[in-house]
Amino acid sequence: MNCGVVVFPGSNCDHDVYHILKHVFGLETKWVWHKDRSLKGFDLVVLPGGFSYGDYLRAGAIARFSPIMDAVINYAEGGGRLLGICNGFQVLVESGLLPGALMRNRSQKFICKPVHLRLENHDTPFTLGTQSGAILKIPVAHAEGNYFADPETLKTMNEQGQIVFRYCNPEGTVSEESNPNGSSENIAGIANTRKNVLGMMPHPERCADPLWRDRDGQVIFKSLIKSYYS
Amino acid sequence: MVPFHPMLAKVHITLKNGVLDPQGKAIHSALNQLGFEGVSNVNLGKYLEITLDTMPEMEAKKKVREMCEKLLANTVIESYQITLVP
Amino acid sequence: MVPFHPMLAKVHITLKNGVLDPQGKAIHSALNQLGFEGVSNVNLGKYLEITLDTMPEMEAKKKVREMCEKLLANTVIESYQITLVP
Amino acid sequence: MAHFNSTEITPEIVAGHGLSPEEYQHILKLLGRTPNITELGIFSVMWSEHCSYKSSRRFLKTLPTEGPRVIQGPGENAGVVDIGDGFAAVFKIESHNHPSFIEPRQGAATGVGGILRDIFTMGARPIALLDSLRFGEIDHPKTPFLLEGVVDGISFYGNCIGVPTVGGEVYFDACYNGNILVNVFCLGLVKSDKVFLGQAAGPGNAVIYVGSKTGRDGIHGASLLASSEFDDTTEEKRPTVQVGDPFTEKLLLEAMLEAMKQSWIVGIQDMGAAGLTSSSFEMAGRSGTGIHLDLSKVPLREEGMTPYEILLSESQERMLLVVQQGFEQAAIDLFQKWDLDTAVVGRVIDEPIVEIEFEGENAVRLPVHLVVDSFPKKDKPTQKPAYLEKVNQLNLTQCALPESFGDALKKLVASPNIASKRFIYEQYDHMVRLNTLVLPGSDASVLRVPDTEKALAISADCNSRYCYLDPFQGAQIAVAEGCRNVVCSGAQPIGVTNCLNFGSPDKPEILWQFEQAVAGMGDACRFFEIPVVSGNVSFYNETKGEAIFPTPTISVVGLLDDQKRFCTQAFKQSGDRIAVLGSTLEELGGSEYLNTLLGLCEGPIPQLNLKAEKKVQSLCLELIRKGLLSSTHDCSEGGLAVALTESCITGDGLPIGARVDLDSTIRPDALLFGESQSRIVISFNKEHLASIQSLAKEYGVPISVVGETGGNSLCISIQGQECLQEEIHQLKQLYEESLKPDGR
Ligand SMILES: Nc1ncnc2c1ncn2[C@@H]1O[C@H](COP(=O)(O)OP(=O)(O)O)[C@@H](O)[C@H]1O
Ligand SMILES: [Mg+2]
């Protein structure tokens, strides 16, 4: 399985996800510079977290026009597996590969802390290693993670199983108190209708190294491997 | 010949109706806390000043509109308004 | 009696001259990369719409100026401009 | 004379540059002519306290700076200490106090930017930041605004550039009402044979400018601001505030690390305070060479800038490089890949002078050593302040015991200096780059060293109330506590950096505090055999003549050989035994208890016995390395009762209670809340009791087994008689919620 990690100017979780893919899961992993124009031969492409272009103007807004993005869009439209984490998710919504928008957190502040997520759909290549309803503890670290979509879009997304993670409490209840940033319907991660593109605000790569006690993030990477080999 | 005379495009970007404005809300409650009364609503948007080389107004307007659609505004949640100052 | 008639204060907040505007700079170079020519400068500021209860214009202006000084603008690096729309 | 240098040098102009008439006469004598306005500007910044260390040098010289691990001591951008396996730790702490008071967000942000550049100019990748903050009283009208702005600035810059802020400290005291402190520490990693220095060697080599364009930011900013105290005219003197651009700094960081893999880089220096001036003079000064610069080549952001402005600008995110002749284009290509402004602005020359031209005319011609170290060396006097007599006479018999020890504990747990700083560190990305093994919320933060089995522990400490009451011992205690914090995480202290925040050195009493604090710090570092490898001095922390408490912030770096063997402060499970290493004396002077409950700031402060401290630390390290402990927590502000509370409630999961009986006959409030030094609260599986006791005996450390973990409350009795019992959930809530802005 060949993985590519896209580096935008200002990406800073690029090394983290590279480390997990390459050293923890032993996958063939390569850097993709934002000025490159091809994604040939990759089975997974990751848009990592960070502050591409400083998140100036709006998070993800400028990165969306990097030279590599045409290839990213083609790759996604051709069914390639594309994972956007945090800033990567922001780039995905800015580029229109995923619906909605990510606005500033309700608290107006950057938030870095572990949160609980309820898996809403295990029928995607990113989550098939576990069951819908599973509760995962994964950290968030963002200032603009407040997911917004208009009611119609939300309705379609619900119907099509596009909502993959919601913020919940440790017992799995999705409530206002467990919503860290004000997202519509506690949405933490979504997929496109075809389920080959996933965007999520929490950082699975931050809890996937066996050196740590929290390892729930491994589910995502294990699922991707499983789906590739099946 | 017209001498060189740059043109200024002022762009206002605001949230669309129906999109919650958490920043505006936060500012509103901060104003209340500071004791400012009589404020019934606050909205926060962006304001851009773009200096353009001399060009016909029509062309300038078209160009700036394109900038907004493509980059400056996120039209999923934002609308924009352009004013040209020659 | 004047009927209830709120007043809108539009506030523009921009960086003072000479203060670095990293966002404006980044937007400018993004526009260049997108092929927009003839842009010589971009500055990014804030735009606020504050809805006020009915009050005399003088009072409103004074109040909004105070809000700017106290909260809305960072007067060390930013200047502000207030327009009242009755 | 060139038009840009036509300003006549009058006594007013000289005074306006912060130079004394005496200093100006010295310049005339050294030069044998009148300096032009640009040259005067150069002298003014280079001879300012901030750049020249003219008042502090003679004291700093006494610090121990050497040791078997030291690769680079003070004098460069940051200190470098060998950690084995081919790696070295690079670190430094720096202040940005005055700019942060004027504009908290940008002031703190550019403070982070500055210290990061100090680290990566040495060739190191920054892996962690700590912030050590001091604000005025929590109820002072300006405090919430300043606190929010400073935290926002650190969060904005550090998060954006992708270096985790993994810990720090925050104190509130009235002495900082008009002068807050923002000290930022940065730790980086470098291959030990790839350390870069700020040198301008090799005449003919190119001097290259990289980074943001130069604007009129902060002209005379840091240097003058940091060299004069605040008064009512500060508002008018406001220089153009520097705005941080973390995105450009991120590009600069990555580009520099890439460039440093090339063979053609000779030296690198960041443009910090006094910008292009200090970077060029310092680089030339270190190599005994000279520099020729053409300012017309410097990338500018504004029109009509004069040589004076270009040389003194403090625009951020800029670097000066010396590159081997012939490799100019290679350098330019590399930096353009990262979309950075780059220009060849000069050459290294043989003659040790700095020679600057602008638009084809000569602007400056000054011998390097005249500027770098020829300021008049006159030792300013020191004098022991009179207040010390008065404040060290605490009469405990006049302090009534509290009616309820439980209430006293709750007040302490909720007090701003002790309550959780979670709402602050949750605004910092403390995990990015996957090295943070111990997150904020324990005594020290622990970072793994990638590609090795090792880890580094870091902590920032200073109890300035102690330093006010007794600067010598207060500074010793800061070192001891820093080491203790690092030891509690399982690391061996290997190096120290410090940021010395004081009032005006022109006052003999302040300089005396400084002298004492440096002596105390040096003494403790010598005793613990840890070198001071870098540091920073911030004087003139005064408002309207009132100085802050002396605040010598200490950051200790410690090394763990096995990254899996770290320890944290929270109890891990019910049924563990609890013990205290060290002895508790009747010492309440200078304590948070006296301050919070009785509003007293009086000494004498707790005694520090360096030998006893060292034994406790050695024992603790040995116990952790042997894997015998479940938790370790340094006993500091709030004493034993607060330390126990924190161990109960700061774990990841549900809080764990404890039942403790203390066997002592000293005043109960001193026993519970006194801050006797050299104590560590440990917990462990009872199977290990015998081994722990015998090791304690072997190390000569008093150990008292005081209780057991478990239950839903913290229950403390003294000689069998219960003195407090509090619900841990309630303690946790008080601890977590009290400081939160919306909790207040
Ligand atoms: N300004 C800050 N930024 C980040 N973390 C902080 C800050 N202040 C305190 N902390 C964290 O909160 C915890 C408690 O701080 P403190 O009470 O100063 O610890 P100690 O008394 O053990 O030195 C530590 O882990 C520290 O790193
Ligand atoms: Mg402390």
Side-chain angles (χ1 to χ4, degrees):
Chain A
M1 180 169 158
N2 289 312
C3 310
V5 177
V6 178
V7 184
F8 296 106
S11 291
N12 53 35
C13 305
D14 46 349
H15 283 85
D16 303 1
V17 80
Y18 183 91
H19 166 73
I20 299 298
L21 292 169
K22 183 155 179 156
H23 304 130
V24 175
F25 290 100
L27 302 170
E28 196 60 48
T29 306
K30 291 206 174 62
W31 299 114
V32 180
W33 181 235
H34 72 115
K35 291 180 186 170
D36 292 349
R37 293 186 178 272
S38 158
L39 289 172
K40 267 219 185 77
F42 287 118
D43 307 302
L44 169 69
V45 170
V46 182
L47 307 188
F51 285 72
S52 55
Y53 294 91
D55 273 2
Y56 296 159
L57 185 65
R58 287 184 314 277
I62 301 181
R64 176 251 172 284
F65 293 104
S66 274
I68 190 65
M69 283 308 292
D70 285 339
V72 169
I73 290 167
N74 276 334
Y75 168 87
E77 282 170 354
R81 276 152 205 177
L82 177 60
L83 171 62
I85 302 169
C86 197
N87 196 231
F89 184 14
Q90 292 160 339
V91 174
L92 290 178
V93 294
E94 280 286 338
S95 66
L97 283 171
L98 290 174
L102 287 155
M103 315 209 318
R104 221 175 148 70
N105 293 345
R106 185 170 47 183
S107 66
Q108 308 302 306
K109 293 194 172 18
F110 189 95
I111 301 170
C112 177
K113 66 173 185 190
V115 297
H116 290 90
L117 305 177
R118 191 176 74 193
L119 179 63
E120 304 289 276
N121 185 356
H122 64 234
D123 196 11
T124 83
F126 305 89
T127 52
L128 52 75
T130 182
Q131 289 299 313
S132 296
I135 299 162
L136 306 174
K137 185 177 163 203
I138 296 184
V140 289
H142 60 246
E144 295 179 42
N146 180 350
Y147 183 78
F148 171 87
D150 60 52
E152 257 160 73
T153 311
L154 287 173
K155 185 159 169 276
T156 331
M157 282 174 34
N158 275 305
E159 284 164 4
Q160 308 264 342
Q162 286 176 261
I163 296 168
V164 182
F165 300 110
R166 289 187 212 270
Y167 301 108
C168 64
N169 69 11
E171 289 74 47
T173 311
V174 172
S175 63
E176 203 41 41
E177 294 76 61
S178 57
N179 187 340
N181 52 26
S183 292
S184 310
E185 296 190 8
N186 280 38
I187 289 173
I190 57 172
N192 60 350
T193 45
R194 195 168 160 185
K195 313 292 186 309
N196 64 317
V197 179
L198 176 78
M200 62 191 294
M201 287 316 293
H203 286 269
E205 81 281 13
R206 292 191 179 187
C207 48
D209 188 315
L211 193 54
W212 275 264
R213 238 179 328 142
D214 290 338
R215 293 172 200 171
D216 283 358
Q218 289 196 345
V219 164
I220 312 269
F221 303 103
K222 284 184 176 161
S223 298
L224 281 162
I225 294 168
K226 192 168 162 190
S227 96
Y228 175 75
Y229 288 104
S230 62
Chain B
M1 270 261 17
V2 195
F4 174 74
H5 181 52
M7 186 184 267
L8 189 66
K10 299 183 171 183
V11 180
H12 289 84
I13 298 174
T14 46
L15 286 175
K16 283 184 177 164
N17 268 343
V19 179
L20 205 71
D21 178 7
Q23 300 203 67
K25 228 173 90 185
I27 295 171
H28 192 173
S29 67
L31 286 173
N32 282 344
Q33 261 172 34
L34 282 174
F36 287 104
E37 277 159 30
V39 178
S40 59
N41 191 35
V42 180
N43 282 314
L44 178 67
K46 292 192 183 106
Y47 171 62
L48 283 135
E49 290 185 347
I50 304 177
T51 317
L52 298 167
D53 299 347
T54 337
M55 58 180 83
E57 201 170 310
M58 284 287 287
E59 193 189 322
K61 199 138 199 174
K62 183 163 158 264
K63 197 169 244 185
V64 177
R65 195 175 305 121
E66 216 181 305
M67 292 178 191
C68 287
E69 287 288 332
K70 259 202 155 162
L71 176 71
L72 304 178
N74 178 348
T75 50
V76 176
I77 46 173
E78 295 170 329
S79 50
Y80 56 88
Q81 200 207 319
I82 302 168
T83 327
L84 287 181
V85 190
Chain C
M1 270 266 15
V2 195
F4 175 75
H5 180 52
M7 186 183 268
L8 189 66
K10 299 183 170 181
V11 180
H12 289 84
I13 299 174
T14 47
L15 285 172
K16 286 186 177 163
N17 264 342
V19 176
L20 177 71
D21 178 6
Q23 301 211 64
K25 206 176 86 184
I27 296 168
H28 190 175
S29 66
L31 288 173
N32 282 344
Q33 262 172 32
L34 281 174
F36 288 104
E37 276 159 33
V39 178
S40 60
N41 192 37
V42 180
N43 282 313
L44 179 65
K46 288 187 195 125
Y47 171 62
L48 283 136
E49 290 184 347
I50 304 177
T51 317
L52 297 167
D53 299 347
T54 335
M55 60 180 83
E57 199 169 311
M58 285 287 284
E59 194 190 322
K61 198 138 199 175
K62 185 163 157 264
K63 198 170 245 186
V64 178
R65 195 175 305 124
E66 217 181 305
M67 292 178 189
C68 287
E69 288 287 333
K70 270 201 162 156
L71 178 74
L72 306 178
N74 176 353
T75 51
V76 180
I77 51 175
E78 295 171 331
S79 45
Y80 56 89
Q81 202 207 318
I82 303 167
T83 327
L84 286 182
V85 190
Chain D
M1 192 184 289
H3 66 95
F4 47 74
N5 273 340
S6 59
T7 309
E8 200 194 327
I9 310 297
T10 62
E12 291 73 44
I13 294 255
V14 171
H17 280 76
L19 289 162
S20 67
E22 206 183 351
E23 285 171 327
Y24 184 63
Q25 286 310 314
H26 198 69
I27 292 173
L28 293 180
K29 201 175 94 204
L30 290 173
L31 277 183
R33 63 175 169 88
T34 311
N36 64 41
I37 183 71
T38 310
E39 292 170 336
L40 188 77
I42 290 175
F43 277 107
S44 110
V45 292
M46 293 300 287
W47 286 13
S48 70
E49 190 62 58
H50 188 80
C51 293
S52 72
Y53 287 80
K54 57 188 169 191
S55 307
S56 57
R57 258 189 210 205
R58 65 189 223 252
F59 305 113
L60 298 178
K61 274 202 311 236
T62 65
L63 293 172
T65 59
E66 278 161 22
R69 290 184 183 273
V70 177
I71 295 177
Q72 177 65 56
E76 276 285 342
N77 290 305
V80 185
V81 176
D82 189 37
I83 58 169
D85 294 339
F87 284 97
V90 180
F91 52 91
K92 186 177 182 194
I93 184 167
E94 207 163 63
S95 66
H96 229 213
N97 305 335
H98 295 92
S100 303
F101 187 73
I102 290 177
E103 212 301 88
R105 185 172 195 266
Q106 296 299 338
T110 49
V112 174
I115 190 68
L116 283 164
R117 283 194 299 284
D118 277 335
I119 302 305
F120 69 77
T121 29
M122 303 294 292
R125 178 173 284 282
I127 63 161
L129 295 160
L130 297 176
D131 60 335
S132 167
L133 312 177
R134 302 283 183 292
F135 298 97
E137 294 159 291
I138 192 88
D139 298 323
H140 188 275
K142 272 198 132 159
T143 298
F145 161 76
L146 291 167
L147 172 64
E148 185 173 326
V150 165
V151 171
D152 192 41
I154 294 170
S155 144
F156 152 69
Y157 207 105
N159 297 349
C160 183
I161 196 169
V163 177
T165 304
V166 299
E169 47 170 5
V170 190
Y171 285 91
F172 300 88
D173 193 287
C175 75
Y176 304 108
N177 278 350
N179 195 121
I180 62 173
L181 301 184
V182 175
N183 294 177
V184 186
F185 163 95
C186 184
L187 170 69
L189 283 175
V190 65
K191 291 258 172 69
S192 35
D193 57 351
K194 288 273 189 300
V195 175
F196 276 83
L197 301 178
Q199 288 179 348
N205 284 340
V207 177
I208 294 189
Y209 172 113
V210 187
S212 290
K213 292 187 170 66
T214 297
R216 291 192 174 92
D217 316 76
I219 291 178
H220 271 192
S223 40
L224 275 201
L225 261 182
S227 302
S228 60
E229 59 187 270
F230 281 165
D231 55 33
D232 289 333
T233 64
T234 308
E235 301 265 319
E236 293 147 39
K237 262 197 283 186
R238 260 176 196 172
T240 319
V241 169
Q242 300 132 269
V243 168
D245 180 358
F247 172 57
T248 298
E249 179 122 322
K250 167 76 174 170
L251 300 180
L252 204 52
L253 159 67
E254 297 299 339
M256 284 298 153
L257 293 181
E258 188 175 321
M260 288 190 248
K261 292 187 187 140
Q262 317 299 320
S263 57
W264 37 258
I265 296 229
V266 178
I268 299 189
Q269 167 89 33
D270 87 292
M271 292 189 232
L276 197 47
T277 300
S278 63
S279 51
S280 45
F281 276 94
E282 284 173 13
M283 283 179 97
R286 290 195 196 108
S287 330
T289 56
I291 283 185
H292 176 95
L293 289 180
D294 181 357
L295 296 185
S296 319
K297 305 255 173 66
V298 171
L300 299 180
R301 197 172 81 226
E302 294 176 59
E303 280 169 27
M305 287 184 70
T306 62
Y308 180 98
E309 292 173 319
I310 298 171
L311 283 167
L312 300 193
S313 160
E314 295 190 344
S315 287
Q316 300 287 297
E317 291 94 20
R318 302 178 302 160
M319 302 281 235
L320 203 62
L321 267 69
V322 172
V323 164
Q324 260 176 44
Q325 196 168 4
F327 290 88
E328 293 85 351
Q329 196 55 45
I332 288 171
D333 289 346
L334 191 152
F335 295 119
Q336 279 178 350
K337 170 188 160 195
W338 290 95
D339 304 320
L340 291 162
D341 277 305
T342 312
V344 178
V345 294
R347 296 267 155 210
V348 178
I349 54 178
D350 252 325
E351 195 185 345
I353 56 167
V354 168
E355 190 179 58
I356 299 175
E357 63 172 295
F358 183 62
E359 294 174 347
E361 289 190 76
N362 176 57
V364 169
R365 192 183 155 85
L366 293 172
V368 174
H369 77 99
L370 289 197
V371 174
V372 174
D373 58 12
S374 303
F375 51 85
K377 293 187 182 77
K378 209 184 81 188
D379 289 351
K380 292 178 181 164
T382 66
Q383 194 193 339
K384 185 171 179 180
Y387 78 83
L388 285 170
E389 290 301 320
K390 270 184 285 172
V391 297
N392 277 308
Q393 319 246 355
L394 178 64
N395 182 354
L396 271 185
T397 55
Q398 299 196 339
C399 302
L401 289 176
E403 272 172 26
S404 149
F405 292 114
D407 289 349
L409 174 62
K410 284 190 279 190
K411 273 203 188 115
L412 277 173
V413 163
S415 74
N417 289 341
I418 290 178
S420 170
K421 311 297 183 292
R422 181 186 299 276
F423 84 97
I424 294 175
Y425 59 70
E426 277 186 354
Q427 292 178 54
Y428 302 149
D429 190 336
H430 42 254
M431 306 169 89
V432 59
R433 292 196 81 85
L434 302 188
N435 294 323
T436 325
L437 291 168
V438 176
L439 304 176
S442 201
D443 283 322
S445 302
V446 180
L447 284 304
R448 74 161 151 189
V449 179
D451 305 323
T452 72
E453 296 299 310
K454 291 180 171 154
L456 291 165
I458 51 181
S459 150
D461 292 275
C462 178
N463 183 318
S464 66
R465 199 182 302 131
Y466 291 176
C467 295
Y468 167 74
L469 297 169
D470 183 344
F472 182 88
Q473 217 190 189
Q476 280 189 318
I477 289 178
V479 175
E481 187 182 341
C483 291
R484 210 184 305 137
N485 280 335
V486 156
V487 161
C488 281
S489 72
Q492 171 80 48
I494 57 167
V496 167
T497 179
N498 65 89
C499 190
L500 306 173
N501 308 273
F502 286 76
S504 162
D506 305 333
K507 296 181 183 161
E509 291 81 5
I510 301 280
L511 205 55
W512 186 87
Q513 291 177 333
F514 185 82
E515 178 179 32
Q516 292 294 309
V518 172
M521 182 169 78
D523 190 56
C525 289
R526 252 184 301 274
F527 188 85
F528 295 128
E529 295 174 77
I530 39 169
V532 179
V533 295
S534 56
N536 173 245
V537 176
S538 169
F539 278 131
Y540 300 100
N541 290 290
E542 304 200 348
T543 332
K544 298 183 182 155
E546 276 297 308
I548 59 162
F549 286 172
T551 314
T553 309
I554 306 285
S555 262
V556 177
V557 175
L559 180 63
L560 288 92
D561 285 323
D562 180 355
Q563 60 187 210
K564 296 198 182 75
R565 278 275 153 92
F566 59 79
C567 203
T568 61
Q569 72 182 34
F571 292 144
K572 301 298 176 309
Q573 59 261 320
S574 298
D576 271 357
R577 285 289 153 86
I578 304 169
V580 180
L581 306 181
S583 357
T584 306
L585 310 174
E586 194 167 281
E587 294 176 310
L588 276 174
S591 64
E592 196 60 42
Y593 168 78
L594 275 193
N595 185 59
T596 302
L597 280 102
L598 302 171
L600 288 179
C601 174
E602 280 187 44
I605 64 170
Q607 292 303 299
L608 175 68
N609 177 332
L610 290 172
K611 281 197 195 120
E613 178 76 48
K614 200 172 189 172
K615 284 185 196 164
V616 167
Q617 292 187 16
S618 310
L619 170 64
C620 182
L621 257 188
E622 183 65 16
L623 295 174
I624 296 174
R625 286 181 179 155
K626 287 212 147 83
L628 297 174
L629 301 184
S630 310
S631 75
T632 47
H633 188 21
D634 156 42
C635 216
S636 59
E637 285 86 4
L640 207 47
V642 166
L644 287 165
T645 306
E646 288 172 344
S647 289
C648 289
I649 62 179
T650 53
D652 276 350
L654 293 174
I656 297 173
R659 178 168 287 279
V660 169
D661 182 62
L662 303 172
D663 184 17
S664 169
T665 53
I666 66 171
R667 269 176 73 112
D669 52 356
L671 180 57
L672 293 170
F673 309 119
E675 296 172 9
S676 284
Q677 292 299 299
S678 318
R679 292 180 300 164
I680 296 174
V681 175
I682 59 173
S683 72
F684 49 88
N685 185 317
K686 61 175 178 282
E687 281 171 21
H688 300 318
L689 179 61
S691 342
I692 292 172
Q693 277 175 324
S694 82
L695 272 168
K697 198 160 172 205
E698 195 180 302
Y699 278 76
V701 172
I703 177 170
S704 22
V705 180
V706 295
E708 201 170 290
T709 63
N712 288 322
S713 55
L714 171 64
C715 195
I716 304 181
S717 55
I718 299 178
Q719 295 191 313
Q721 199 168 359
E722 180 175 304
C723 68
L724 68 84
Q725 171 157 17
E726 296 296 331
E727 267 251 40
I728 40 176
H729 286 95
Q730 202 194 351
L731 290 173
K732 186 175 169 85
Q733 194 179 352
L734 280 172
Y735 181 74
E736 292 293 348
E737 306 290 332
S738 304
L739 244 196
K740 259 185 162 169
D742 41 9
R744 284 171 48 82

